[in-house]
Amino acid sequence: MSDIAVMDQVPDSQEVNAKAESPLFHIGAGINTHKDANSAGVLLQEDKLAGHLLIRGNRDDEAFNIAINNVLGTGLPKTLQCIYVDELSIRWVSPDEWLVICAGDKVYELEKRLRAAVQGHYAIVNVSGGQTLLVLSGDNVRDVLMKSTAYDVDDSNFPVGKVVTSTLAKSQAIICRRNEDVWELVIRRSFADYIWLWLEDASREFGLVVNSK
Amino acid sequence: MFYIYCPYCEEHREEEEFHVVGQAHIDRPLDPDSLSDAEWAKYLYMRKNTRGLYQEQWLHAIGCRKFFNMTRDTVTYEIKETYKVGEQPTVV
């Protein structure tokens, strides 16, 4: 275990009276641009206050790979790949960098387990407060993305299980395709409101329903 | 617009995602304290302005955020190759 102070960023609300607000806490179901969820082209949901852990390390270091595998239950994804296991999703970010997303109340435990397992030259940073996860589903999500990013989101270039960091509107996002019709965006907290307004505008013609959870 | 192959993402991306960072293969002096002002200024500021093949650094800023090198023809703007930091160009 490395000698680094770690902090539970989502303290037990019974003991600490801390108020947590997601970057898009102000988006409620009341501002849908479309009435009927069944006929809406785009369903948008923020995965609120999820745990985001950034792992950095040497992919060629076998001990590093084994330690990560033991904790996460899977190897780290290869270039431009994302993996979903149980309650976790793992995104490739760069050749020595991966983003693990889990439930907000599980991230502290996961970070401690990772730090206990991994030795040597590595970094693990809890970036939960700096970004948020948007889940877009529906028949017209690709049409919205085509208006929003310069990246080619055609099936031939963007199969299920691929992840890219690219431009989104005048900001950027980690864009991941989870299923045929389910796309996920990891966006910066400071750009969250701007991107929300952009997506609301871009999906208006297809009908947008915000699924607040 | 350029369509640039990132050697780390292993695919082509739009130029929008990149920043150019200037001339490549400039070695940092091993012992900066022993340099004269002229030598230090040369290292910091003096850059080639090549007509033809030119090696330059690029940054995949909105992407994997890695630096890499590119050989580009400054006359035709044709990109001859991109390669990782630490590697040598094959087109010179």
Side-chain angles (χ1 to χ4, degrees):
Chain A
M1 177 100 184
S2 49
D3 190 19
I4 292 174
V6 291
M7 187 182 84
D8 185 359
Q9 299 186 10
V10 191
D12 187 346
S13 57
Q14 299 296 314
E15 295 172 24
V16 185
N17 189 20
K19 184 185 176 192
E21 279 180 343
S22 85
L24 292 174
F25 72 95
H26 54 299
I27 296 180
I31 46 176
N32 292 340
T33 60
H34 197 77
K35 293 241 168 11
D36 181 8
N38 293 320
S39 65
V42 180
L43 280 116
L44 187 148
Q45 181 178 323
E46 184 196 7
D47 192 351
K48 288 178 179 168
L49 302 174
H52 297 232
L53 276 187
L54 208 53
I55 300 177
R56 301 201 66 172
N58 182 0
R59 151 127 259 166
D60 298 327
D61 178 356
E62 190 149 341
F64 172 75
N65 283 309
I66 291 169
I68 295 285
N69 202 334
N70 286 342
V71 177
L72 299 183
T74 177
L76 289 164
K78 294 189 167 58
T79 308
L80 300 181
Q81 297 294 307
C82 60
I83 297 175
Y84 294 87
V85 279
D86 301 331
E87 306 285 291
L88 292 177
S89 62
I90 311 160
R91 288 161 177 74
W92 182 94
V93 178
S94 86
D96 54 8
E97 190 175 351
W98 296 266
L99 176 65
V100 179
I101 298 183
C102 65
D105 55 356
K106 300 275 181 2
V107 68
Y108 181 50
E109 197 59 40
L110 182 64
E111 183 180 357
K112 284 196 292 188
R113 279 168 56 212
L114 282 167
R115 286 193 182 281
V118 185
Q119 303 291 324
H121 188 62
Y122 75 96
I124 297 169
V125 185
N126 185 335
V127 293
S128 311
Q131 53 197 31
T132 194
L133 177 64
L134 291 182
V135 183
L136 294 159
S137 53
D139 295 339
N140 295 108
V141 176
R142 193 212 309 271
D143 300 307
V144 171
L145 289 174
M146 282 165 65
K147 290 201 272 185
S148 311
T149 177
Y151 194 77
D152 182 3
V153 290
D154 188 79
D155 276 342
S156 59
N157 191 56
F158 212 135
V160 173
K162 188 170 184 177
V163 60
V164 300
T165 306
S166 189
T167 52
L168 190 86
K170 293 184 195 300
S171 178
Q172 66 180 79
I174 302 174
I175 306 167
C176 184
R177 190 170 188 190
R178 182 165 188 158
N179 288 318
E180 284 297 320
D181 290 326
V182 181
W183 301 70
E184 296 181 332
L185 309 174
V186 177
I187 56 170
R188 299 272 185 187
R189 182 179 193 106
S190 52
F191 282 103
D193 186 62
Y194 163 72
I195 287 176
W196 150 247
L197 290 171
W198 176 282
L199 291 174
E200 183 198 25
D201 187 37
S203 38
R204 183 169 293 139
E205 63 176 296
F206 309 111
L208 169 70
V209 165
V210 179
N211 193 357
S212 60
K213 194 175 72 172
Chain B
M1 293 287 282
F2 285 134
Y3 199 43
I4 299 170
Y5 184 85
C6 171
Y8 294 99
C9 292
E10 297 167 10
E11 63 175 22
H12 285 83
R13 297 290 185 89
E14 298 287 337
E15 184 186 346
E16 223 180 319
E17 296 184 10
F18 299 87
H19 287 312
V20 67
V21 200
Q23 188 183 333
H25 301 295
I26 296 172
D27 292 330
R28 186 178 172 84
L30 291 172
D31 185 11
D33 290 340
S34 68
L35 294 189
S36 68
D37 285 354
E39 286 170 325
W40 184 244
K42 186 180 175 208
Y43 160 70
L44 278 187
Y45 301 117
M46 302 309 284
R47 297 291 180 261
K48 287 180 187 166
N49 187 18
T50 309
R51 180 181 164 84
L53 291 185
Y54 186 55
Q55 269 87 36
E56 59 193 0
Q57 298 178 83
W58 283 72
L59 168 64
H60 195 182
I62 305 178
C64 62
R65 306 197 312 284
K66 295 289 179 197
F67 289 85
F68 61 93
N69 297 321
M70 175 191 293
T71 303
R72 187 173 63 87
D73 191 319
T74 58
V75 178
T76 62
Y77 279 51
E78 184 189 353
I79 296 169
K80 298 290 187 186
E81 64 171 341
T82 56
Y83 52 100
K84 294 177 181 176
V85 166
E87 295 177 356
Q88 291 299 314
T90 58
V91 184
V92 283

